[in-house]
Amino acid sequence: REIYQELTTLLETDDLLPSRLKVLERLARVQVALRDQDGALEALKRINLEEAGTLDPSVRTNLRLLEARVLRVTAPSRALKVLAKAQKAITDEQCVESIRIHLEVTRCRLQKQDWKRTINYGLKGAELAKKVPDCVELGMFYQLVAQAFYRKGDYSHALDNFQRGLTVAENLQSHSL
């Protein structure tokens, strides 16, 4: 972490902006791995201030997803706002980034204990993920929907969705072999 922070100070000139942004992104990811949410949010905020539209839209979307993951732990409502901004920037609803945003929204809704919306977003995301071949996120959607049904007290639907998730995982594993 200290090495990345030192690198960002060394890369302060404007001509080194792309390198500085990459170092800041890696610093944010390291801090997320170390569960230092405040440090990660600070690095992500600095990226947003410095990039001024120079980043590729897919990179910006991935950074917003990372920010939402960090915020989900402490402030799921703020994470949902970040995800709404990320969703507005995406034009194709069937791309992998859109599916990942739906997955993160589903996780935030589960974190907020909003079972009905968790189930709705999860099932909508699963429908989107079915259209993309070999989409790993499909099994994750079923797992989250199953958790929501379980916490809601609907054990038969929970079991059904866990089985769907396992089937997806088994199919993906057989494809990769």
Side-chain angles (χ1 to χ4, degrees):
R1 190 172 15 175
E2 292 171 3
I3 293 171
Y4 284 119
Q5 290 171 340
E6 190 173 322
L7 276 172
T8 57
T9 58
L10 292 173
L11 300 171
E12 285 296 325
T13 60
D14 288 340
D15 58 331
L16 298 173
L17 179 66
S19 299
R20 185 170 61 243
L21 293 176
K22 286 180 186 177
V23 169
L24 282 169
E25 179 184 354
R26 288 189 181 137
L27 174 63
R29 292 188 186 282
V30 165
Q31 288 174 327
V32 167
L34 295 173
R35 297 174 194 235
D36 179 12
Q37 276 78 16
D38 293 333
L41 285 174
E42 184 181 319
L44 290 166
K45 186 187 294 184
R46 191 166 166 199
I47 291 172
N48 286 333
L49 289 174
E50 292 185 14
E51 64 102 6
T54 59
L55 288 177
D56 186 58
S58 64
V59 173
R60 190 176 298 118
T61 301
N62 285 331
L63 288 172
R64 285 194 174 136
L65 275 170
L66 181 63
E67 183 179 0
R69 284 187 199 118
V70 172
L71 288 171
R72 179 173 31 107
V73 175
T74 57
S77 297
R78 282 182 54 203
L80 288 170
K81 288 179 183 177
V82 170
L83 291 168
K85 288 179 188 175
Q87 189 67 44
K88 286 179 186 175
I90 293 179
T91 56
D92 182 17
E93 196 173 271
Q94 293 181 2
C95 67
V96 177
E97 284 98 3
S98 178
I99 292 170
R100 289 185 180 148
I101 290 170
H102 266 81
L103 185 63
E104 198 60 36
V105 167
T106 306
R107 287 180 179 142
C108 287
R109 292 293 177 189
L110 187 66
Q111 180 79 21
K112 287 183 70 164
Q113 299 179 359
D114 186 353
W115 313 135
K116 182 180 175 183
R117 286 193 176 110
T118 300
I119 293 165
N120 287 339
Y121 274 100
L123 292 175
K124 182 179 177 186
E127 289 300 316
L128 290 173
K130 283 180 184 176
K131 297 174 184 175
V132 176
D134 296 331
C135 186
V136 177
E137 287 82 2
L138 179 60
M140 294 178 195
F141 279 117
Y142 285 133
Q143 178 190 12
L144 292 171
V145 169
Q147 287 177 7
F149 274 124
Y150 182 80
R151 291 180 183 172
K152 189 178 176 184
D154 190 347
Y155 304 115
S156 63
H157 282 105
L159 183 62
D160 182 43
N161 281 287
F162 270 125
Q163 288 175 336
R164 286 181 187 171
L166 285 173
T167 303
V168 168
E170 288 171 353
N171 289 341
L172 288 174
Q173 187 177 15
S174 67
H175 286 307
S176 65
L177 296 176

